[in-house]
């Protein structure tokens, strides 16, 4: 698909204006915001259109000035929770029935034929692995390093996971055993039957290996290069672009500066889309005696009774433009989602990570190894002495120094621009499947 500049200065593909279709899973705010961040950095004359199966987080897309196409079959909250659990490795049940997947593929193929995009950019929209290929359009996967083909090949070649600490001989032995188990598991796990059947029905041949099955034509790795284990080699079709994280619209509320002016440390507490009420209530009430103010954008997870029972130093809000809180925050407590980790790290916040699944543990462990974070296990969250842990983190000189060093390294990386450049290169230089 060669791209050229037309006489009126616009990017064109075969005489028509170039277009990129972004297809995030809308229930995941991190995917939506990553897509918006990249779309903003594409050449101004490349038209960007978003599509999804629900109105969840639609406002972020439209407030950024992009068109949104709502597709069928619509995704309800129960479906969203099931897909999120599958995406994050917290459930093994495949929620994609033949009927659901066939309906998705039909809608996506119809939209692709209508828009004729030069590329389709996804987060974890697995149905597009069939749809984009059936329509002969290059597929771009914006993704973390964890779970990727690059990661699992590196695990196989090195016998190290990057997920577990290797600080003692005993821990190295455990990590070696886990690496071997992951490698064996990867050899035997096959794609879900519904994907194999619907792919065949649409004339698409996909690899029998699960990880290769869900590897795109261009895989943009959003993990910062300096946080990747030293033993990693990127396979063909993979490019490290670095952090791409949320930049939510709206002003910083006055509450933030008011808390920062009180003279006590401010701790930011967030659990993203994957966290829930149980985790929030395992932690926030136990911070009552911590010598700090807690800024917690977790209102979507709590009911009025929950809110009434929280201690006075906990201040619950809706979503915040976390990337613009800067010096108002001294420490973060998060679930370890890559976007949240990057948002915290680029502002120089040390953080306490509570991983809920494999990818989040990888994200946190890389920062623990770097020295800018500490980890608390999810199953022990209700038993942790949170005031003591927070005080230790706030007083940890090395932790803060490493967090400041991390911020310097991340600020030199423009992940959205690198991702946009890679997509532009893909569609301008031509692509063959």
């Amino acid at each position: 698909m060669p791209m050229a500049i037309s006489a009126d200065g616009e990017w064109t593909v075969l005489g028509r204006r170039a277009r990129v279709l972004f297809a995030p899973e809308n229930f995941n705010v991190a995917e939506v915001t990553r897509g918006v961040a990249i779309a903003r950095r594409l050449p101004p004359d490349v038209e960007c259109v978003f599509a999804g199966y629900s109105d969840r987080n639609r406002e972020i897309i439209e407030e950024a000035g992009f068109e949104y196409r709502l597709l069928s079959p619509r995704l309800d909250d129960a479906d969203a929770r099931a897909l999120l659990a599958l995406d994050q490795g917290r459930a093994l049940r495949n929620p994609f029935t033949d009927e659901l997947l066939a309906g998705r593929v039909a809608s996506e193929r119809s939209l692709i034929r209508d828009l004729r995009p030069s590329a389709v950019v996804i987060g974890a929209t697995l149905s597009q692995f069939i749809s984009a290929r059936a329509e002969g359009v290059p597929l771009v996967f914006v993704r973390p390093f964890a779970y990727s083909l690059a990661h699992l090949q590196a695990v196989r070649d090195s016998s190290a996971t990057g997920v577990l600490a290797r600080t003692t001989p005993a821990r190295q032995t455990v990590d070696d055993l886990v690496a071997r188990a992951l490698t064996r598991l990867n050899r035997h796990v096959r794609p879900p039957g519904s994907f194999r059947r619907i792919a065949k029905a649409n004339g698409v041949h996909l690899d029998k290996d699960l990880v290769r099955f869900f590897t795109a034509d261009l895989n943009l790795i959003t993990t910062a290069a300096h946080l990747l284990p030293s033993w990693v080699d990127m396979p063909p079709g993979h490019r490290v672009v670095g952090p791409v994280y949320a930049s939510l619209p709206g002003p910083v509320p006055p509450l933030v500066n008011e808390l920062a002016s009180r003279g006590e440390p401010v701790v930011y507490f967030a659990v993203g889309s994957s966290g829930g009420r149980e985790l929030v209530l395992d932690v926030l009430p136990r911070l009552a005696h911590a010598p700090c103010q807690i800024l917690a954008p977790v209102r979507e997870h709590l009911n009025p009774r929950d809110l009434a029972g929280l201690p006075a130093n906990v201040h619950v809000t809706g979503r915040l433009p976390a990337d613009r809180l800067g010096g108002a925050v001294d420490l973060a407590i998060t679930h370890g989602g890559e976007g949240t980790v990057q948002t915290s790290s680029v502002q120089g916040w040390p953080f306490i990570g509570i991983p809920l699944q494999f990818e989040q543990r990888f994200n946190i462990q890389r920062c623990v190894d770097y020295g800018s974070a500490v980890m608390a296990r999810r199953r022990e969250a209700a038993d942790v002495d949170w005031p003591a842990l927070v005080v230790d983190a706030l007083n940890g000189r090395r932790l803060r120094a490493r967090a400041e060093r991390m911020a310097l390294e991340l600020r030199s990386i423009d992940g959205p621009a690198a991702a946009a450049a890679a997509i532009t290169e893909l569609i301008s230089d031509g692509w063959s499947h």
Side-chain angles (χ1 to χ4, degrees):
M1 293 184 181
M3 181 183 285
I5 301 290
S6 67
D8 58 4
E10 288 191 342
W11 290 87
T12 62
V13 179
L14 300 179
R16 59 181 173 80
R17 186 180 182 188
R19 181 180 290 125
V20 173
L21 171 61
F22 285 83
E25 285 287 13
N26 283 48
F27 57 79
N28 190 327
V29 66
E31 286 194 20
V32 172
T33 53
R34 276 196 292 263
V36 167
I38 294 168
R40 282 174 163 157
R41 304 303 291 275
L42 284 168
D45 292 325
V46 174
E47 182 182 3
C48 297
V49 177
F50 284 71
Y53 291 94
S54 80
D55 285 325
R56 200 166 174 182
N57 298 310
R58 176 177 184 162
E59 71 281 358
I60 296 173
I61 296 166
E62 294 184 333
E63 286 176 16
F66 298 111
E67 178 187 357
Y68 178 73
R69 301 282 189 97
L70 181 61
L71 303 180
S72 294
R74 304 292 166 80
L75 193 69
D76 62 25
D77 288 343
D79 292 333
R81 286 191 294 270
L83 289 175
L84 188 62
L86 178 69
D87 173 41
Q88 296 174 337
R90 294 182 287 112
L92 297 177
R93 186 183 69 83
N94 171 31
F96 285 102
T97 63
D98 284 33
E99 181 181 11
L100 173 63
L101 187 57
R104 276 192 164 217
V105 170
S107 290
E108 290 163 3
R109 292 191 66 178
S110 176
L111 180 64
I112 291 170
R113 287 193 293 270
D114 178 39
L115 294 178
R116 294 192 295 161
S118 306
V120 176
V121 181
I122 63 168
T125 314
L126 303 182
S127 47
Q128 284 284 1
F129 282 93
I130 299 173
S131 307
R133 284 164 173 163
E135 294 298 326
V137 178
L139 186 65
V140 181
F141 193 175
V142 181
R143 61 169 307 155
F145 176 74
Y147 286 130
S148 68
L149 176 64
H151 183 201
L152 292 178
Q153 284 188 350
V155 170
R156 178 198 65 199
D157 295 341
S158 68
S159 295
T161 66
V163 177
L164 302 175
R166 295 178 63 87
T167 51
T168 67
R171 289 182 173 181
Q172 289 175 18
T173 298
V174 171
D175 193 39
D176 289 344
L177 291 172
V178 174
R180 293 190 193 107
L182 280 175
T183 300
R184 286 196 298 269
L185 181 65
N186 184 48
R187 290 196 195 108
H188 294 96
V189 176
R190 295 290 176 258
S194 58
F195 279 86
R196 298 196 302 270
R197 290 187 291 272
I198 302 305
K200 183 177 180 180
N202 283 269
V204 174
H205 172 74
L206 295 176
D207 202 289
K208 293 180 180 179
D209 177 279
L210 178 68
V211 176
R212 292 182 182 276
F213 189 102
F214 292 125
T215 297
D217 304 298
L218 175 62
N219 302 272
L220 302 180
I221 304 298
T222 54
T223 308
H226 70 275
L227 289 177
L228 293 174
S230 59
W231 32 263
V232 170
D233 288 319
M234 287 293 151
H238 290 67
R239 183 181 299 190
V240 177
V241 296
V244 182
Y245 52 86
S247 182
L248 295 178
V252 175
L255 172 65
V256 175
N257 290 329
E258 193 272 320
L259 294 179
S261 69
R262 292 189 183 185
E264 287 186 290
V266 175
V267 175
Y268 176 82
F269 175 85
V271 297
S273 300
S274 59
R277 177 175 178 269
E278 184 179 358
L279 174 60
V280 172
L281 295 181
D282 276 347
V283 179
L284 288 186
R286 292 171 173 81
L287 288 165
H289 301 295
C292 60
Q293 299 295 315
I294 314 296
L295 180 64
V298 295
R299 183 172 290 151
E300 65 183 298
H301 298 297
L302 302 177
N303 61 47
R305 179 178 292 182
D306 296 331
L307 294 170
L310 293 175
N313 65 332
V314 172
H315 308 271
V316 174
T317 72
R319 288 178 183 165
L320 294 172
D323 63 311
R324 288 182 278 130
L325 301 184
V329 171
D330 299 280
L331 175 73
I333 302 172
T334 82
H335 62 303
E338 188 174 63
T340 305
V341 167
Q342 292 172 348
T343 301
S344 300
S345 297
V346 79
Q347 295 176 96
W349 306 342
F351 73 91
I352 301 168
I354 314 169
L356 306 179
Q357 40 88 348
F358 183 85
E359 179 214 319
Q360 293 167 5
R361 186 180 178 98
F362 177 89
N363 299 333
I364 296 168
Q365 186 63 51
R366 304 318 302 154
C367 293
V368 170
D369 289 349
Y370 187 91
S372 62
V374 295
M375 188 183 301
R377 295 181 180 180
R378 169 65 188 98
R379 65 176 177 270
E380 299 171 356
D383 300 316
V384 168
D385 184 343
W386 282 102
L389 185 56
V390 165
V391 168
D392 286 348
L394 288 170
N395 293 335
R397 292 185 178 179
R398 183 178 184 277
L399 192 70
R400 183 162 298 281
R402 295 302 290 170
E404 291 172 355
R405 175 67 182 173
M406 174 79 82
L408 288 175
E409 294 206 53
L410 292 181
R411 287 171 191 160
S412 68
I413 304 169
D414 191 339
I423 294 168
T424 302
E425 179 184 327
L426 175 75
I427 63 180
S428 61
D429 289 349
W431 176 85
S432 60
H433 185 53

